């Protein structure tokens, strides 16, 4: 089987590429290399292409035919919540325009199976203990909105062109499956804290007065390697006969608070952290933890790594890169 992985030079995409290669699949990576890193795609063919460009649909269709691809995994998108609030047009143009080009290319090249990176950001600020896929999404920022509208586009493309699609709503992804594929962006809690520690600074907790047991926000952290396995399971699902669902949460169903994550980082580094307590960050839900029942039942997928595994892999990847 041959899969075209769009955005395969990014942090999550490259983990999926590596995993598919280890399973003997043929992989072609398409990436603009604007944030992706070429070295991460070792072992796969790399085509440099920006899926948001005006002629991208034709070029993608050409690549799909040339590769003899039978499936596509589409990662390439902007993914910073704060940036999406400041530059909404860029998010709508690139995330939605890029996806439109990908779907049109799949229809034109008669590629049936598509896996799309969605996000827990579609849910906004849900007031429930465990978020199920039945909950009506209410995104509170342009990033989450583009992901939700992207899911509608998949449904429309299924009806119009006979595509078969799955959207994976990622919860909080962290860790590294291979040191050289680690997250080099400093945008999320674990890399931000590791970066501050490297600079000799204490971590900052964004608010400790939430209605949670220790007062800090609770999230569902999923190991990037488990997330990569979820993509492989999604491809298998699309290739099978039965396909009752199109949308899946990808998380563990277990919540960890910011202070629990900091404790895990301290354990992994063998030091005790002394966090500063800062003000709340706008738009943070107190708790965002998923029900992972649907993906377990339909795809047979469960996360196998706990918070300590996740954090340890991130710490070890930095050490492997010669950083403290
Ligand atoms: N946090 C801190 N200090 C920091 C950084 C983060 O206390 O220095 C806290 C945040 O306030 C939040 C938690 O750590 O409570 C996790 O924050 P992240 O920024 O790592 O992740 P978010 O949950 O805000 O966002 C993530 C993804 C988004 C996605 C969202 C969906 O980064 O792309 O999950 O819920 F939209």
């Amino acid at each position: 089987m041959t899969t075209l992985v769009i955005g395969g030079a990014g942090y999550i995409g490259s983990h999926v590429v590596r995993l598919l290669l280890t399973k003997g699949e043929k992989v072609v990576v398409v990436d603009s290399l604007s944030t992706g890193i070429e070295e991460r795609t070792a072992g796969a063919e790399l085509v440099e292409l920006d899926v948001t460009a005006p002629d991208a649909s034709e070029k993608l269709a050409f690549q799909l035919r040339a590769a003899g691809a039978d499936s596509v995994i589409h990662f390439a998108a902007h993914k910073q919540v704060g940036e999406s609030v400041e530059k909404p047009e860029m998010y709508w143009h690139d995330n939605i325009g890029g996806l439109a080009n990908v779907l049109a290319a799949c229809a034109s090249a008669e590629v049936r199976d598509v896996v799309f990176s969605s996000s827990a950001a579609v849910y906004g600020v849900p007031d429930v203990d465990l978020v199920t896929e039945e909950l009506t999404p209410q995104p509170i920022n342009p990033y989450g909105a583009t992901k939700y509208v992207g899911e509608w586009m998949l449904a429309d493309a299924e009806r119009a062109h006979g595509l078969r699609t799955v959207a994976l709503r990622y919860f909080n992804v962290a860790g590294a499956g291979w040191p050289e594929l680690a997250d080099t962006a400093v945008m999320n809690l674990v890399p931000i804290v590791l970066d501050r520690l490297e600079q000799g600074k204490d971590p900052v907790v964004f608010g400790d007065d939430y209605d949670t047991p220790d007062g800090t926000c609770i999230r569902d952290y999923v190991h990037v390697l488990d997330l990569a396995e979820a993509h492989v399971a999604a491809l298998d699902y699309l290739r099978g006969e039965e396909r009752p669902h199109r949308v899946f949460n990808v998380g563990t169903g277990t919540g960890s608070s910011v202070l629990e994550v900091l404790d895990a980082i301290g354990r992994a580094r063998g030091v005790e952290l002394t966090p500063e307590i800062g003000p709340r960050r706008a738009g943070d839900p107190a708790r965002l933890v998923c029900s992972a029942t649907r993906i377990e039942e339909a795809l047979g997928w469960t996360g196998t790594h706990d918070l300590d595994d996740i954090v340890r892999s991130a710490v070890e990847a930095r050490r492997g890169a010669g950083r403290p």
Side-chain angles (χ1 to χ4, degrees):
M1 299 299 242
T2 301
T3 303
L4 197 89
V5 181
I6 303 167
Y11 162 54
I12 300 172
S14 65
H15 277 85
V16 173
V17 168
R18 184 73 62 94
L19 193 62
L20 287 169
L21 290 173
T22 63
K23 290 179 189 288
E25 294 237 2
K26 191 179 159 212
V27 180
V28 176
V29 172
V30 167
D31 202 295
S32 68
L33 297 180
S34 60
T35 55
I37 300 170
E38 186 172 349
E39 289 69 31
R40 284 181 175 150
T41 66
E45 183 189 334
L46 172 65
V47 176
E48 207 174 320
L49 179 69
D50 175 1
V51 295
T52 70
D55 58 353
S57 175
E58 292 75 22
K59 286 185 171 168
L60 266 175
F62 174 82
Q63 294 298 338
L64 286 166
R65 289 194 192 95
D70 33 50
S71 47
V72 165
I73 308 180
H74 179 44
F75 293 98
H78 302 294
K79 58 172 186 180
Q80 295 183 54
V81 170
E83 181 185 57
S84 81
V85 175
E86 283 156 25
K87 300 179 182 173
E89 300 80 8
M90 183 175 94
Y91 273 68
W92 285 107
H93 181 273
D94 292 354
N95 289 6
I96 295 300
L99 177 59
N101 286 336
V102 169
L103 294 174
C106 289
S108 156
E110 295 181 3
V111 173
R112 190 191 63 174
D113 298 338
V114 179
V115 179
F116 172 64
S117 304
S118 187
S119 169
V122 300
Y123 292 115
V125 191
D127 188 18
V128 291
D129 265 4
L130 292 179
V131 178
T132 67
E133 293 87 348
E134 274 87 41
L135 200 74
T136 303
Q138 290 187 289
I140 58 162
N141 51 61
Y143 167 66
T146 63
K147 289 297 175 183
Y148 189 32
V149 170
E151 294 180 4
W152 294 354
M153 291 171 68
L154 299 183
D156 287 344
E158 289 204 353
R159 281 186 286 269
H161 311 302
L163 301 190
R164 294 169 65 153
T165 69
V166 157
L168 298 177
R169 293 177 176 166
Y170 309 161
F171 280 66
N172 288 64
V173 187
W178 291 270
E180 66 276 20
L181 304 186
D183 191 4
T184 49
V186 187
M187 292 188 311
N188 293 108
L189 178 62
V190 174
I192 289 174
V193 171
L194 295 180
D195 207 63
R196 285 185 70 86
L197 294 173
E198 188 177 327
Q199 295 173 40
K201 296 179 184 162
D202 288 329
V204 180
V205 176
F206 297 153
D208 69 348
D209 57 352
Y210 286 92
D211 185 17
T212 60
D214 68 17
T216 67
C217 288
I218 295 176
R219 296 288 183 274
D220 187 330
Y221 293 89
V222 56
H223 195 301
V224 66
L225 202 48
D226 284 334
L227 176 63
E229 290 282 5
H231 289 77
V232 175
L235 282 180
D236 284 347
Y237 178 75
L238 287 171
R239 291 167 184 168
E241 290 299 315
E242 292 296 314
R243 204 180 54 86
H245 303 292
R246 283 192 302 101
V247 174
F248 296 95
N249 289 338
V250 193
T252 62
T254 302
S256 305
S257 72
V258 175
L259 289 179
E260 285 169 340
V261 174
L262 296 185
D263 280 349
I265 293 175
R267 277 194 295 280
R269 289 175 53 102
V271 292
E272 192 155 334
L273 307 189
T274 49
E276 290 168 23
I277 306 299
R280 288 184 177 198
R281 189 176 66 175
D284 270 341
R287 180 184 163 88
L288 196 57
V289 179
C290 81
S291 159
T293 304
R294 178 183 283 185
I295 191 166
E296 184 174 355
E297 287 178 359
L299 270 61
W301 177 93
T302 46
T304 57
H305 295 89
D306 66 13
L307 181 64
D308 277 312
D309 295 335
I310 293 171
V311 166
R312 208 167 32 238
S313 73
V315 167
E316 282 167 8
R318 285 176 89 93
R319 289 213 180 105
R323 302 166 75 175

